[in-house]
Amino acid sequence: MKQNILKVHPADNVLVALTDLQADEQVTYQDKTYTVKELIPAKHKFAIVDIPEGGEIIMYGVLVGKAQSPIAVGGLLSTANVKHAANSFLTGQSHTDWHRPDISKWEGKTFNGYHREDGSVGTANYWLVVPMVFCENRNIEVLQEALVKPLGYGRKKTYEIKAQELIGKIKAGAQIDEVLFTEIGSDTTQNAGNKVFPNVDGIKFLTHTGGCGGTRQDSTALCGLLAGYITHPNVAGATVLSLGCQNAEVKTLQEEINKRSPEFNKPLYILDQQKTGKEADLMEQGIRQTLAGLMQANQYTRQPAPLSKLTIGLECGGSDGFSGISANPAIGYTSDLLVAMGGSVILAEFPELCGVEQNLIDRCLDKNKAERFADLVRTYSQRAEEAGSGFYMNPSPGNIKDGLITDAIKSAGAAKKGGTSPVADVLDYPEKVTQPGLNLLCTPGNDVESTTAEVGSGANIVLFTTGLGTPTGNPIAPVVKIATNTALFNRMSDIIDINTGTIVEGDETIEQAGERILDYVVKVASGEIEVHAVRHGQDDFIPWKRGVSL
């Protein structure tokens, strides 16, 4: 008989329902029987001791909330009787003893990637076309229209085909019911033609709403983010469009590129519209130079590289009550395996580390890193409070509905993505990863802003866990979508790549799932598997404006 309840940590005073538990149902955990007082939906928690008003609620071994009213044994924890609470934190002596996982299975293992002159290795090979300011977005779109299909990077417009089929029925006199319910053609998404440059995975056209009109800090950060993408190992070179008068100046971009790659030698074409004059001349130059750059990019081919050349971004979105039990600890084990092999991982989303700061501080390799992490968290939290918000407001309605009723519960589960290894470095947005090991990167919890930032800091693959489902992707790095539960994996199989519901169901251990995920990552990194986000062209790109975004 499969388990229907789970205790996450020995110190917890709550249990997690793995299936719906009915009122008055009796459940047994480690020879102790509990009677639930009311319906406990799967993924939600119930008390295993009487918790008085103001009493502490412990999960994952840490404080995750306090009772707003008494909660009896077997009572459901909800937003009506629980409020957010988290432990304070102090910097002090680090405790970085770490039990490295066994990596003998991956001894000598390689992936086939694109080797760059600076020693980094890409898991893909893209050309970028980016604007310095939102004024150039339309010109970016014009270049996209001119180049994508002729070069063989377009995909057949599946839904346009479906719409045309239905429109044809309407023209032929179809009634409303026929339009609503008649079966139409299946998904035919595929490349529209043969690629002119077979070694180039695509041209990625980024647009954004920044570069001018905001704070100078945001413009500088935008230049740093764009520099992170241009110098990224998955990128062979770039075409940059500048209006000429914006806050995000070309010289700032060049300074940021130099910070990240002092010996930068990729092809980089920068066009200034105000200097060029006519739009037609700008577009012609953009087309000529981009094609010339693609000819150079096409000279790269995949070659073997050690797994230490992987940098994995760790992300979650649309989280549920199983996230911290299945998918997050699974990729945490994947993280530990990669760190043990000399690779790098990035744990971001600082609002979702609320309540576990002390654990991460204690894992920092030196006091300076610990103090920087504490300072970044405190400053971010203070700015959120000053704006009338706070980390406690981070859980979304979907999170709450599926059992993550306080930010501390959500955070304690989210932090599991970072595994157990020491913290090698602490970075502020949009700094670049330079150290192997676990890197903490200050970003918001917003899925796309954080994923955008992790890739800008050097992630050449992103592992993205979800309990509710999300199509999120990235223009230049494969985003591997990992379901926390089997029901989601089956329901949204066209956007989810991996299932870890097997852990909840007792069919697989966290360690087994983590190893399976690493095997999958190696295949994605080698170009053997195209993840769903790439197949769908899910090129989400949102720079973080340093105002308050949770």
PDB file of all heavy atoms in Angstrom, residues 466-484:
ATOM      1  N   THR A 466       7.801  22.648 -11.593  1.00  0.00           N
ATOM      2  CA  THR A 466       6.463  23.235 -11.532  1.00  0.00           C
ATOM      3  C   THR A 466       5.457  22.202 -11.063  1.00  0.00           C
ATOM      4  O   THR A 466       5.527  21.024 -11.455  1.00  0.00           O
ATOM      5  CB  THR A 466       6.044  23.823 -12.899  1.00  0.00           C
ATOM      6  OG1 THR A 466       4.747  24.404 -12.786  1.00  0.00           O
ATOM      7  CG2 THR A 466       6.036  22.762 -13.994  1.00  0.00           C
ATOM      8  N   GLY A 467       4.533  22.648 -10.221  1.00  0.00           N
ATOM      9  CA  GLY A 467       3.470  21.770  -9.754  1.00  0.00           C
ATOM     10  C   GLY A 467       2.145  22.050 -10.408  1.00  0.00           C
ATOM     11  O   GLY A 467       1.238  21.212 -10.387  1.00  0.00           O
ATOM     12  N   LEU A 468       2.017  23.248 -10.981  1.00  0.00           N
ATOM     13  CA  LEU A 468       0.760  23.658 -11.603  1.00  0.00           C
ATOM     14  C   LEU A 468       0.869  23.735 -13.115  1.00  0.00           C
ATOM     15  O   LEU A 468      -0.142  23.682 -13.817  1.00  0.00           O
ATOM     16  CB  LEU A 468       0.320  25.026 -11.048  1.00  0.00           C
ATOM     17  CG  LEU A 468       0.194  25.110  -9.528  1.00  0.00           C
ATOM     18  CD1 LEU A 468      -0.176  26.522  -9.096  1.00  0.00           C
ATOM     19  CD2 LEU A 468      -0.828  24.114  -9.016  1.00  0.00           C
ATOM     20  N   GLY A 469       2.109  23.894 -13.633  1.00  0.00           N
ATOM     21  CA  GLY A 469       2.318  23.949 -15.078  1.00  0.00           C
ATOM     22  C   GLY A 469       2.579  25.358 -15.562  1.00  0.00           C
ATOM     23  O   GLY A 469       1.895  26.303 -15.174  1.00  0.00           O
ATOM     24  N   THR A 470       3.600  25.509 -16.393  1.00  0.00           N
ATOM     25  CA  THR A 470       3.923  26.795 -17.009  1.00  0.00           C
ATOM     26  C   THR A 470       4.714  26.543 -18.287  1.00  0.00           C
ATOM     27  O   THR A 470       5.510  25.604 -18.334  1.00  0.00           O
ATOM     28  CB  THR A 470       4.750  27.698 -16.064  1.00  0.00           C
ATOM     29  OG1 THR A 470       5.207  28.858 -16.775  1.00  0.00           O
ATOM     30  CG2 THR A 470       5.954  26.962 -15.522  1.00  0.00           C
ATOM     31  N   PRO A 471       4.501  27.349 -19.324  1.00  0.00           N
ATOM     32  CA  PRO A 471       5.234  27.146 -20.582  1.00  0.00           C
ATOM     33  C   PRO A 471       6.590  27.843 -20.635  1.00  0.00           C
ATOM     34  O   PRO A 471       7.260  27.782 -21.652  1.00  0.00           O
ATOM     35  CB  PRO A 471       4.280  27.769 -21.611  1.00  0.00           C
ATOM     36  CG  PRO A 471       3.618  28.886 -20.867  1.00  0.00           C
ATOM     37  CD  PRO A 471       3.448  28.370 -19.450  1.00  0.00           C
ATOM     38  N   THR A 472       7.014  28.485 -19.558  1.00  0.00           N
ATOM     39  CA  THR A 472       8.189  29.350 -19.559  1.00  0.00           C
ATOM     40  C   THR A 472       9.406  28.739 -20.259  1.00  0.00           C
ATOM     41  O   THR A 472       9.727  27.572 -20.066  1.00  0.00           O
ATOM     42  CB  THR A 472       8.580  29.710 -18.113  1.00  0.00           C
ATOM     43  OG1 THR A 472       7.456  30.288 -17.459  1.00  0.00           O
ATOM     44  CG2 THR A 472       9.733  30.688 -18.088  1.00  0.00           C
ATOM     45  N   GLY A 473      10.086  29.565 -21.066  1.00  0.00           N
ATOM     46  CA  GLY A 473      11.322  29.166 -21.722  1.00  0.00           C
ATOM     47  C   GLY A 473      12.288  30.330 -21.741  1.00  0.00           C
ATOM     48  O   GLY A 473      12.087  31.340 -21.058  1.00  0.00           O
ATOM     49  N   ASN A 474      13.329  30.211 -22.535  1.00  0.00           N
ATOM     50  CA  ASN A 474      14.346  31.252 -22.656  1.00  0.00           C
ATOM     51  C   ASN A 474      14.862  31.266 -24.085  1.00  0.00           C
ATOM     52  O   ASN A 474      14.906  30.215 -24.737  1.00  0.00           O
ATOM     53  CB  ASN A 474      15.500  30.997 -21.676  1.00  0.00           C
ATOM     54  CG  ASN A 474      16.566  32.072 -21.725  1.00  0.00           C
ATOM     55  OD1 ASN A 474      17.566  31.936 -22.429  1.00  0.00           O
ATOM     56  ND2 ASN A 474      16.360  33.151 -20.998  1.00  0.00           N
ATOM     57  N   PRO A 475      15.265  32.420 -24.609  1.00  0.00           N
ATOM     58  CA  PRO A 475      15.714  32.480 -26.013  1.00  0.00           C
ATOM     59  C   PRO A 475      16.954  31.647 -26.322  1.00  0.00           C
ATOM     60  O   PRO A 475      17.063  31.103 -27.421  1.00  0.00           O
ATOM     61  CB  PRO A 475      15.978  33.968 -26.235  1.00  0.00           C
ATOM     62  CG  PRO A 475      15.203  34.673 -25.175  1.00  0.00           C
ATOM     63  CD  PRO A 475      15.193  33.764 -23.999  1.00  0.00           C
ATOM     64  N   ILE A 476      17.914  31.556 -25.397  1.00  0.00           N
ATOM     65  CA  ILE A 476      19.195  30.953 -25.758  1.00  0.00           C
ATOM     66  C   ILE A 476      19.572  29.721 -24.945  1.00  0.00           C
ATOM     67  O   ILE A 476      20.519  29.023 -25.318  1.00  0.00           O
ATOM     68  CB  ILE A 476      20.345  31.985 -25.671  1.00  0.00           C
ATOM     69  CG1 ILE A 476      20.553  32.456 -24.239  1.00  0.00           C
ATOM     70  CG2 ILE A 476      20.085  33.146 -26.617  1.00  0.00           C
ATOM     71  CD1 ILE A 476      21.814  33.270 -24.029  1.00  0.00           C
ATOM     72  N   ALA A 477      18.878  29.443 -23.847  1.00  0.00           N
ATOM     73  CA  ALA A 477      19.225  28.287 -23.016  1.00  0.00           C
ATOM     74  C   ALA A 477      18.033  27.349 -22.902  1.00  0.00           C
ATOM     75  O   ALA A 477      16.918  27.805 -22.638  1.00  0.00           O
ATOM     76  CB  ALA A 477      19.681  28.734 -21.626  1.00  0.00           C
ATOM     77  N   PRO A 478      18.235  26.044 -23.091  1.00  0.00           N
ATOM     78  CA  PRO A 478      17.119  25.106 -22.925  1.00  0.00           C
ATOM     79  C   PRO A 478      16.588  25.151 -21.492  1.00  0.00           C
ATOM     80  O   PRO A 478      17.367  25.108 -20.539  1.00  0.00           O
ATOM     81  CB  PRO A 478      17.750  23.742 -23.227  1.00  0.00           C
ATOM     82  CG  PRO A 478      19.038  24.031 -23.927  1.00  0.00           C
ATOM     83  CD  PRO A 478      19.494  25.368 -23.439  1.00  0.00           C
ATOM     84  N   VAL A 479      15.268  25.260 -21.351  1.00  0.00           N
ATOM     85  CA  VAL A 479      14.627  25.237 -20.040  1.00  0.00           C
ATOM     86  C   VAL A 479      13.897  23.904 -19.912  1.00  0.00           C
ATOM     87  O   VAL A 479      12.906  23.664 -20.600  1.00  0.00           O
ATOM     88  CB  VAL A 479      13.656  26.418 -19.866  1.00  0.00           C
ATOM     89  CG1 VAL A 479      12.942  26.333 -18.518  1.00  0.00           C
ATOM     90  CG2 VAL A 479      14.411  27.751 -19.971  1.00  0.00           C
ATOM     91  N   VAL A 480      14.414  23.046 -19.047  1.00  0.00           N
ATOM     92  CA  VAL A 480      13.851  21.708 -18.846  1.00  0.00           C
ATOM     93  C   VAL A 480      12.739  21.806 -17.808  1.00  0.00           C
ATOM     94  O   VAL A 480      12.985  22.163 -16.661  1.00  0.00           O
ATOM     95  CB  VAL A 480      14.934  20.719 -18.369  1.00  0.00           C
ATOM     96  CG1 VAL A 480      14.338  19.323 -18.191  1.00  0.00           C
ATOM     97  CG2 VAL A 480      16.107  20.691 -19.341  1.00  0.00           C
ATOM     98  N   LYS A 481      11.517  21.491 -18.200  1.00  0.00           N
ATOM     99  CA  LYS A 481      10.359  21.600 -17.319  1.00  0.00           C
ATOM    100  C   LYS A 481      10.134  20.286 -16.590  1.00  0.00           C
ATOM    101  O   LYS A 481      10.037  19.222 -17.196  1.00  0.00           O
ATOM    102  CB  LYS A 481       9.142  21.978 -18.143  1.00  0.00           C
ATOM    103  CG  LYS A 481       8.261  23.036 -17.514  1.00  0.00           C
ATOM    104  CD  LYS A 481       8.945  24.370 -17.345  1.00  0.00           C
ATOM    105  CE  LYS A 481       9.337  25.049 -18.594  1.00  0.00           C
ATOM    106  NZ  LYS A 481       8.435  25.127 -19.647  1.00  0.00           N
ATOM    107  N   ILE A 482      10.042  20.348 -15.245  1.00  0.00           N
ATOM    108  CA  ILE A 482       9.975  19.153 -14.405  1.00  0.00           C
ATOM    109  C   ILE A 482       8.719  19.204 -13.541  1.00  0.00           C
ATOM    110  O   ILE A 482       8.547  20.126 -12.736  1.00  0.00           O
ATOM    111  CB  ILE A 482      11.230  19.050 -13.520  1.00  0.00           C
ATOM    112  CG1 ILE A 482      12.488  19.041 -14.395  1.00  0.00           C
ATOM    113  CG2 ILE A 482      11.173  17.814 -12.636  1.00  0.00           C
ATOM    114  CD1 ILE A 482      13.774  19.217 -13.629  1.00  0.00           C
ATOM    115  N   ALA A 483       7.832  18.233 -13.707  1.00  0.00           N
ATOM    116  CA  ALA A 483       6.579  18.176 -12.960  1.00  0.00           C
ATOM    117  C   ALA A 483       6.800  17.579 -11.574  1.00  0.00           C
ATOM    118  O   ALA A 483       7.532  16.597 -11.418  1.00  0.00           O
ATOM    119  CB  ALA A 483       5.543  17.354 -13.719  1.00  0.00           C
ATOM    120  N   THR A 484       6.125  18.161 -10.585  1.00  0.00           N
ATOM    121  CA  THR A 484       6.202  17.634  -9.218  1.00  0.00           C
ATOM    122  C   THR A 484       5.264  16.465  -9.005  1.00  0.00           C
ATOM    123  O   THR A 484       5.401  15.729  -8.037  1.00  0.00           O
ATOM    124  CB  THR A 484       5.833  18.726  -8.201  1.00  0.00           C
ATOM    125  OG1 THR A 484       4.426  19.006  -8.302  1.00  0.00           O
ATOM    126  CG2 THR A 484       6.619  19.995  -8.426  1.00  0.00           C
TER     127      THR A 484
END
